[in-house]
C-alpha cells in the first residue's frame, strides 16, 4: 500500500476516498428508492388487475341479475295466473258450470266448443282442482326460490361495486 501511494498527496487521497464513500452512500440510497418505486409499480399493476377483474365480475353479475329478474318476473306472473285459476276453480258456480259442459257444445260463459277442464264427476273436478293447487304451489315455491336468488345476486352486486369503489379510491 505504501509503495502504491508513494509520492502522492495524502490530502488528495483522503478527498478521493471520501468522494467514493459519498457515491457509495448515494447509490445505496438510490437502490433503496428504486426498490420502493418498483414495489409501488408492482402494487399498482396488481390493483389495476384486481380492478379489471372486479369490473368484469360486476358486468357479469349485472347480466345475471337482468336474466334472473326476467325469469323471476315471468315465474311470478305465471304463479299469479295459476293462483287465480286455482282460486277461481274452487268456486261453486264454476264447479256447476264445469259439470254442465258437453264436448262439442258451446260454453255458456265464453262460447268455446272445446273444454279442456271439463269433468263429469265431482271426483274428477276435485282431482282437477287438486292439480291446479299442486301446480300453483310448485310455481309459488319456484317463485320464492328465484326471488331469493335474485336478492342474493343484488347483494353480491352491491358488495362487488363497493369493493370496486374502494379499490379505485386506493389506486
Amino acid at each position: 500500500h505504501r509503495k502504491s501511494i508513494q509520492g502522492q498527496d495524502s490530502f488528495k487521497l483522503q478527498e478521493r476516498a471520501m468522494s467514493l464513500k459519498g457515491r457509495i452512500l448515494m447509490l445505496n440510497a438510490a437502490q433503496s428508492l428504486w426498490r420502493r418505486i418498483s414495489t409501488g409499480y408492482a402494487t399498482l399493476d396488481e390493483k389495476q388487475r384486481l380492478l379489471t377483474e372486479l369490473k368484469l365480475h360486476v358486468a357479469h353479475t349485472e347480466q345475471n341479475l337482468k336474466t334472473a329478474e326476467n325469469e323471476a318476473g315471468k315465474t311470478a306472473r305465471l304463479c299469479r295466473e295459476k293462483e287465480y285459476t286455482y282460486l277461481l276453480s274452487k268456486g261453486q258456480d264454476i264447479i256447476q258450470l264445469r259439470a254442465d259442459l258437453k264436448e262439442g257444445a258451446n260454453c255458456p260463459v265464453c262460447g268455446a266448443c272445446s273444454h279442456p277442464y271439463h269433468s263429469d264427476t265431482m271426483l274428477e273436478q276435485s282431482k282437477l282442482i287438486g292439480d291446479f293447487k299442486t301446480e300453483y304451489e310448485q310455481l309459488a315455491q319456484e317463485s320464492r326460490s328465484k326471488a331469493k336468488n335474485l336478492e342474493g345476486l343484488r347483494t353480491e352486486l352491491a358488495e362487488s361495486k363497493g369493493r370496486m369503489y374502494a379499490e379505485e379510491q386506493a389506486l
Side-chain angles (χ1 to χ4, degrees):
H1 178 68
R2 284 186 186 168
K3 281 184 181 182
S4 67
I5 62 168
Q6 188 177 13
Q8 293 184 6
D9 187 12
S10 67
F11 179 73
K12 285 188 179 181
L13 287 176
Q14 283 181 344
E15 187 180 334
R16 184 164 188 261
M18 292 308 244
S19 169
L20 291 175
K21 190 173 186 180
R23 283 186 184 172
I24 287 176
L25 290 174
M26 284 192 326
L27 286 174
N28 284 337
Q31 186 178 24
S32 172
L33 287 173
W34 181 251
R35 278 192 207 117
R36 288 178 55 196
I37 289 170
S38 66
T39 302
Y41 276 112
T43 303
L44 282 175
D45 287 343
E46 179 62 26
K47 291 280 185 192
Q48 287 175 339
R49 184 197 61 77
L50 181 62
L51 195 57
T52 302
E53 186 178 300
L54 282 171
K55 284 180 182 178
L56 288 173
H57 180 71
V58 164
H60 182 71
T61 305
E62 285 175 340
Q63 184 180 5
N64 287 347
L65 184 65
K66 286 179 184 177
T67 303
E69 283 175 343
N70 288 339
E71 288 179 10
K74 287 177 186 176
T75 304
R77 280 190 300 279
L78 190 59
C79 181
R80 285 190 300 271
E81 289 173 10
K82 287 292 181 181
E83 180 183 25
Y84 178 76
T85 303
Y86 166 62
L87 292 175
L88 189 63
S89 69
K90 288 188 337 182
Q92 279 305 114
D93 294 339
I94 301 297
I95 292 173
Q96 185 60 41
L97 283 172
R98 194 176 287 138
D100 293 339
L101 290 176
K102 303 288 185 241
E103 197 62 39
N106 290 343
C107 174
V109 176
C110 66
C113 292
S114 176
H115 312 294
Y117 300 121
H118 170 67
S119 47
D120 291 326
T121 65
M122 283 302 285
L123 183 61
E124 289 175 350
Q125 285 191 19
S126 295
K127 183 181 180 303
L128 185 63
I129 292 171
D131 290 344
F132 285 154
K133 180 180 179 184
T134 303
E135 288 175 10
Y136 161 68
E137 288 173 348
Q138 287 174 346
L139 277 172
Q141 178 62 31
E142 185 179 343
S143 179
R144 284 190 296 272
S145 170
K146 287 186 178 185
K148 187 176 180 181
N149 183 29
L150 188 62
E151 191 58 36
L153 282 173
R154 285 184 179 138
T155 303
E156 181 183 345
L157 180 63
E159 288 173 357
S160 295
K161 282 185 175 180
R163 284 182 43 217
M164 188 173 75
Y165 177 76
E167 290 298 329
E168 284 175 344
Q169 294 303 315
L171 186 63

